[in-house]
Amino acid sequence: MTLVDWVWIVHPVLAVVLIYPLTGIVIRLAIQTRSRRLKTAKPPPTVGRDHSDLGRWLAAAVVVLVIVALTVVIATHGPLDQFQGGFRRAGTLLLVLIGTLLSLGALWMAKAPGLRLAFALITWAGVLGLGAQPEVWRLSDDPFSPAFWQSHYWSGVAVVGLMLFSLGARPEILRDLRLRRLHVTANLLAAVLFVAQGITGTRDLLEIPLSWQKSTIYACNFEARSCPPLAPPPPASMP
């Protein structure tokens, strides 16, 4: 594996090592919090606060993870001196990346509801803007096609939107029963999308060749599932 190949697996490594274990912990705390609220069990009184705090970290980590994936895909699509659009486009995308991260940081610290809503929308818009670049592979952009619902990208940005909602509306979720129910529904959907992400992400890892294999693999006809014959090896030289 080359350096580029190692950079490409940063996203799945962080997902496996950080995101999915943290997701399991947050789900477990959510179940305990609900059982304590319904008085069907007696978990420790700190489970509600622990669920809220770890859920906040999970939401921010998911957003950062997706930003890392988009940045790696765009930056390593080809040699930097052949970057489509040149330095002007690269500079624009860099500003979008920095602005998205700053907006996420501002969302983390903001107190006023209006500011939290604004920063959540700006962060999601930044993620969608980076994801809309031609270097980012998407099975389909047509929601009426089956490929759209099998796309790792689209389920990923949907999870980001749900995480930003949980992060931005956290104080209101703690106070308002209706928002709490909406939060539960949104996170049930997020749990389903996390499972889909695990499946589609594994599928995509199988389909992405190593950097030195791409010229040969991409010469194949993926619709016909056939590849051109490989050139025979050079004959061994006589001693």
Side-chain angles (χ1 to χ4, degrees), residues 26-77:
V26 171
I27 291 175
R28 175 62 177 165
L29 290 172
I31 295 172
Q32 290 182 330
T33 300
R34 181 167 177 78
S35 64
R36 180 176 177 82
R37 186 176 294 119
L38 297 177
K39 299 181 180 180
T40 58
K42 293 183 178 180
T46 59
V47 292
R49 184 184 62 197
D50 293 342
H51 167 66
S52 179
D53 292 343
L54 285 178
R56 193 176 185 223
W57 281 104
L58 173 63
V62 168
V63 179
V64 171
L65 182 69
V66 172
I67 293 174
V68 167
L70 296 175
T71 303
V72 168
V73 170
I74 295 172
T76 62
H77 187 263

Coordinates of all heavy atoms in Angstrom, one line a residue, residues 26-77:
V26 N -23.9 5.2 23.3 CA -25.0 6.2 23.4 C -26.4 5.5 23.3 O -27.3 5.9 24.0 CB -24.8 7.2 22.2 CG1 -26.0 8.1 22.1 CG2 -23.5 8.0 22.4
I27 N -26.5 4.5 22.5 CA -27.8 3.8 22.4 C -28.1 3.1 23.7 O -29.3 3.1 24.2 CB -27.7 2.7 21.2 CG1 -27.7 3.5 19.9 CG2 -29.0 1.8 21.3 CD1 -27.6 2.5 18.7
R28 N -27.1 2.4 24.3 CA -27.3 1.8 25.6 C -27.7 2.8 26.6 O -28.7 2.6 27.4 CB -26.0 1.1 26.0 CG -26.1 0.5 27.4 CD -27.1 -0.6 27.5 NE -27.1 -1.2 28.8 CZ -28.1 -2.0 29.3 NH1 -29.1 -2.2 28.6 NH2 -27.9 -2.5 30.5
L29 N -27.1 4.0 26.7 CA -27.5 5.0 27.6 C -28.9 5.5 27.4 O -29.6 5.9 28.3 CB -26.4 6.1 27.6 CG -25.1 5.8 28.2 CD1 -24.1 6.9 27.9 CD2 -25.2 5.5 29.7
A30 N -29.2 5.6 26.1 CA -30.6 6.1 25.7 C -31.6 5.1 26.2 O -32.7 5.6 26.8 CB -30.7 6.2 24.2
I31 N -31.4 3.8 26.1 CA -32.3 2.8 26.6 C -32.5 2.9 28.1 O -33.6 2.9 28.7 CB -31.9 1.4 26.2 CG1 -32.0 1.3 24.7 CG2 -32.8 0.4 26.9 CD1 -31.4 0.0 24.1
Q32 N -31.3 3.1 28.8 CA -31.4 3.2 30.3 C -32.1 4.5 30.7 O -32.8 4.5 31.7 CB -29.9 3.2 30.8 CG -29.3 1.9 30.7 CD -27.9 1.9 31.3 OE1 -27.2 2.9 31.3 NE2 -27.4 0.7 31.8
T33 N -31.8 5.6 29.9 CA -32.5 6.9 30.3 C -34.0 6.8 30.1 O -34.7 7.2 31.0 CB -32.0 8.0 29.4 OG1 -30.5 8.1 29.5 CG2 -32.6 9.3 29.7
R34 N -34.4 6.1 29.1 CA -35.9 6.0 28.9 C -36.5 5.0 30.0 O -37.6 5.3 30.5 CB -36.2 5.4 27.5 CG -37.6 5.2 27.2 CD -37.9 4.9 25.7 NE -39.3 4.7 25.5 CZ -40.2 5.6 25.4 NH1 -39.9 6.9 25.6 NH2 -41.5 5.3 25.2
S35 N -35.8 4.0 30.3 CA -36.3 3.1 31.3 C -36.4 3.8 32.7 O -37.3 3.5 33.5 CB -35.4 1.8 31.4 OG -34.1 2.1 31.8
R36 N -35.4 4.7 32.9 CA -35.5 5.4 34.2 C -36.6 6.4 34.2 O -37.3 6.6 35.2 CB -34.1 6.1 34.4 CG -34.1 6.9 35.7 CD -32.8 7.6 36.0 NE -32.8 8.4 37.2 CZ -32.7 7.9 38.4 NH1 -32.5 6.6 38.6 NH2 -32.7 8.7 39.5
R37 N -36.9 7.0 33.0 CA -38.0 8.0 32.9 C -39.3 7.3 33.1 O -40.2 7.8 33.7 CB -37.9 8.7 31.6 CG -38.9 9.9 31.5 CD -38.7 10.6 30.2 NE -37.4 11.4 30.2 CZ -36.5 11.1 29.3 NH1 -36.6 10.2 28.4 NH2 -35.3 11.8 29.4
L38 N -39.4 6.1 32.5 CA -40.7 5.3 32.6 C -40.8 4.5 33.9 O -41.8 3.9 34.2 CB -40.8 4.4 31.4 CG -40.9 5.1 30.1 CD1 -40.9 4.0 29.0 CD2 -42.1 6.0 30.0
K39 N -39.7 4.6 34.7 CA -39.6 3.9 36.0 C -39.8 2.4 35.9 O -40.4 1.7 36.7 CB -40.7 4.4 37.0 CG -40.5 5.9 37.3 CD -41.5 6.4 38.2 CE -41.3 7.9 38.5 NZ -42.3 8.5 39.5
T40 N -39.3 1.8 34.7 CA -39.3 0.4 34.5 C -38.0 -0.3 35.0 O -37.9 -1.5 35.0 CB -39.5 0.0 33.1 OG1 -38.5 0.6 32.3 CG2 -40.9 0.6 32.6
A41 N -37.0 0.5 35.3 CA -35.8 0.0 35.9 C -35.2 1.2 36.7 O -35.6 2.3 36.7 CB -34.8 -0.4 34.7
K42 N -34.1 0.8 37.4 CA -33.4 1.8 38.2 C -31.9 1.9 37.9 O -31.1 1.6 38.7 CB -33.6 1.5 39.7 CG -35.0 1.6 40.2 CD -35.1 1.3 41.7 CE -36.6 1.4 42.2 NZ -36.7 1.1 43.6
P43 N -31.7 2.5 36.7 CA -30.2 2.7 36.4 C -29.7 3.9 37.2 O -30.5 4.6 37.8 CB -30.3 3.0 34.9 CG -31.7 3.6 34.6 CD -32.6 2.9 35.6
P44 N -28.4 4.1 37.1 CA -27.8 5.3 37.9 C -28.5 6.6 37.5 O -28.9 6.8 36.3 CB -26.4 5.2 37.5 CG -26.1 3.8 37.1 CD -27.4 3.3 36.5
P45 N -28.6 7.5 38.4 CA -29.2 8.8 38.0 C -28.5 9.7 37.0 O -29.0 10.6 36.5 CB -29.3 9.5 39.4 CG -28.3 8.9 40.3 CD -28.3 7.5 39.8
T46 N -27.2 9.3 36.8 CA -26.4 10.1 35.9 C -26.5 9.6 34.4 O -25.9 10.2 33.5 CB -24.9 9.9 36.2 OG1 -24.5 8.5 36.2 CG2 -24.6 10.5 37.6
V47 N -27.4 8.6 34.1 CA -27.4 8.1 32.8 C -27.9 9.1 31.8 O -27.5 9.2 30.6 CB -28.3 6.8 32.7 CG1 -27.6 5.7 33.4 CG2 -29.7 7.1 33.2
G48 N -28.9 10.0 32.2 CA -29.4 11.0 31.3 C -28.4 12.0 30.9 O -28.2 12.3 29.7
R49 N -27.6 12.5 31.9 CA -26.5 13.4 31.6 C -25.4 12.8 30.7 O -24.9 13.4 29.8 CB -25.9 13.9 32.9 CG -24.9 15.0 32.7 CD -24.3 15.4 34.0 NE -23.6 14.3 34.6 CZ -23.2 14.2 35.9 NH1 -23.5 15.2 36.7 NH2 -22.6 13.2 36.4
D50 N -25.1 11.5 31.0 CA -24.1 10.8 30.3 C -24.5 10.6 28.8 O -23.7 10.8 27.9 CB -23.7 9.5 30.9 CG -23.1 9.6 32.2 OD1 -22.5 10.7 32.5 OD2 -23.1 8.6 33.0
H51 N -25.8 10.2 28.6 CA -26.3 10.1 27.3 C -26.3 11.4 26.5 O -25.9 11.4 25.3 CB -27.8 9.6 27.4 CG -28.5 9.6 26.1 ND1 -28.2 8.8 25.0 CD2 -29.5 10.4 25.7 CE1 -29.0 9.1 24.0 NE2 -29.8 10.1 24.3
S52 N -26.6 12.5 27.1 CA -26.6 13.7 26.5 C -25.2 14.2 26.1 O -25.0 14.6 25.0 CB -27.3 14.8 27.3 OG -27.3 16.1 26.7
D53 N -24.3 14.0 27.0 CA -22.9 14.5 26.8 C -22.2 13.6 25.7 O -21.6 14.2 24.8 CB -22.1 14.4 28.1 CG -22.6 15.5 29.1 OD1 -23.3 16.4 28.7 OD2 -22.2 15.3 30.3
L54 N -22.4 12.3 25.8 CA -21.7 11.4 24.8 C -22.4 11.5 23.5 O -21.8 11.4 22.4 CB -21.7 10.0 25.3 CG -20.7 9.6 26.4 CD1 -20.9 8.2 26.8 CD2 -19.3 9.9 25.9
G55 N -23.7 11.8 23.5 CA -24.4 12.0 22.2 C -24.0 13.2 21.5 O -23.9 13.2 20.3
R56 N -23.6 14.2 22.3 CA -23.1 15.4 21.7 C -21.8 15.2 21.0 O -21.5 15.6 19.9 CB -23.0 16.5 22.8 CG -22.7 17.9 22.3 CD -22.7 18.9 23.5 NE -22.6 20.2 23.1 CZ -21.8 21.1 23.6 NH1 -21.1 20.8 24.7 NH2 -21.8 22.4 23.2
W57 N -20.9 14.4 21.7 CA -19.6 14.1 21.1 C -19.8 13.2 19.9 O -19.1 13.4 18.9 CB -18.7 13.4 22.1 CG -18.1 14.4 23.1 CD1 -18.5 14.6 24.4 CD2 -17.0 15.2 22.9 NE1 -17.7 15.5 25.0 CE2 -16.7 15.9 24.1 CE3 -16.2 15.5 21.8 CZ2 -15.7 16.9 24.2 CZ3 -15.1 16.4 21.9 CH2 -14.9 17.1 23.0
L58 N -20.7 12.3 19.9 CA -21.0 11.4 18.8 C -21.4 12.2 17.6 O -20.9 12.0 16.5 CB -22.0 10.4 19.1 CG -22.5 9.5 18.0 CD1 -21.4 8.6 17.4 CD2 -23.7 8.6 18.4
A59 N -22.3 13.1 17.8 CA -22.8 13.9 16.7 C -21.7 14.7 16.0 O -21.6 14.7 14.8 CB -23.9 14.9 17.2
A60 N -20.9 15.4 16.8 CA -19.8 16.2 16.3 C -18.8 15.3 15.6 O -18.2 15.6 14.5 CB -19.1 17.0 17.4
A61 N -18.5 14.1 16.1 CA -17.5 13.2 15.5 C -18.0 12.7 14.2 O -17.2 12.5 13.3 CB -17.3 12.0 16.5
V62 N -19.3 12.4 14.1 CA -19.8 11.9 12.8 C -19.7 13.0 11.7 O -19.3 12.7 10.6 CB -21.3 11.5 12.9 CG1 -22.0 11.3 11.6 CG2 -21.5 10.3 13.8
V63 N -19.9 14.2 12.1 CA -19.8 15.3 11.1 C -18.3 15.4 10.7 O -18.0 15.6 9.5 CB -20.3 16.6 11.7 CG1 -20.1 17.8 10.7 CG2 -21.8 16.5 12.1
V64 N -17.4 15.4 11.6 CA -16.0 15.5 11.3 C -15.5 14.4 10.5 O -14.8 14.5 9.5 CB -15.2 15.6 12.6 CG1 -13.7 15.5 12.3 CG2 -15.5 16.9 13.3
L65 N -16.0 13.2 10.8 CA -15.7 12.0 10.0 C -16.1 12.1 8.5 O -15.3 11.8 7.6 CB -16.3 10.7 10.6 CG -16.0 9.4 10.0 CD1 -14.5 9.0 10.2 CD2 -16.9 8.3 10.5
V66 N -17.3 12.6 8.3 CA -17.7 12.8 6.9 C -16.9 13.8 6.2 O -16.5 13.7 5.0 CB -19.2 13.1 6.9 CG1 -19.7 13.4 5.5 CG2 -20.0 11.9 7.4
I67 N -16.6 14.9 6.9 CA -15.7 16.0 6.3 C -14.4 15.4 5.9 O -13.8 15.7 4.9 CB -15.6 17.2 7.3 CG1 -17.0 17.8 7.4 CG2 -14.6 18.2 6.8 CD1 -17.0 18.9 8.4
V68 N -13.8 14.6 6.8 CA -12.5 14.0 6.5 C -12.6 13.1 5.3 O -11.7 13.2 4.4 CB -12.0 13.1 7.7 CG1 -10.9 12.2 7.3 CG2 -11.7 14.0 8.9
A69 N -13.6 12.3 5.2 CA -13.8 11.5 4.0 C -13.9 12.3 2.7 O -13.2 12.0 1.7 CB -15.1 10.6 4.1
L70 N -14.7 13.3 2.7 CA -14.9 14.2 1.5 C -13.5 14.9 1.2 O -13.2 15.0 0.0 CB -16.0 15.2 1.7 CG -17.4 14.6 2.0 CD1 -18.4 15.8 2.3 CD2 -17.9 13.9 0.7
T71 N -12.8 15.3 2.2 CA -11.6 16.0 1.9 C -10.5 15.1 1.3 O -9.9 15.4 0.3 CB -11.0 16.6 3.2 OG1 -12.0 17.5 3.8 CG2 -9.7 17.4 3.0
V72 N -10.5 13.9 1.8 CA -9.5 12.9 1.3 C -9.9 12.5 -0.2 O -9.0 12.5 -1.0 CB -9.5 11.6 2.2 CG1 -8.7 10.5 1.5 CG2 -8.9 11.9 3.5
V73 N -11.1 12.3 -0.4 CA -11.5 11.9 -1.8 C -11.2 13.0 -2.8 O -10.7 12.8 -3.9 CB -13.1 11.6 -1.8 CG1 -13.5 11.5 -3.3 CG2 -13.3 10.3 -1.1
I74 N -11.5 14.3 -2.4 CA -11.3 15.4 -3.4 C -9.8 15.6 -3.5 O -9.3 15.8 -4.6 CB -11.9 16.7 -2.8 CG1 -13.5 16.5 -2.9 CG2 -11.6 17.9 -3.7 CD1 -14.2 17.6 -2.2
A75 N -9.0 15.6 -2.4 CA -7.6 15.9 -2.5 C -6.7 14.9 -3.2 O -5.7 15.2 -3.7 CB -7.1 16.2 -1.1
T76 N -7.2 13.6 -3.1 CA -6.4 12.5 -3.7 C -6.9 12.0 -5.0 O -6.4 10.9 -5.4 CB -6.3 11.4 -2.6 OG1 -7.6 10.8 -2.4 CG2 -5.7 11.9 -1.3
H77 N -7.8 12.7 -5.6 CA -8.4 12.2 -6.8 C -7.4 12.1 -7.9 O -7.5 11.2 -8.8 CB -9.6 13.1 -7.2 CG -10.4 12.5 -8.4 ND1 -10.1 12.9 -9.7 CD2 -11.3 11.6 -8.5 CE1 -10.9 12.3 -10.5 NE2 -11.7 11.5 -9.8

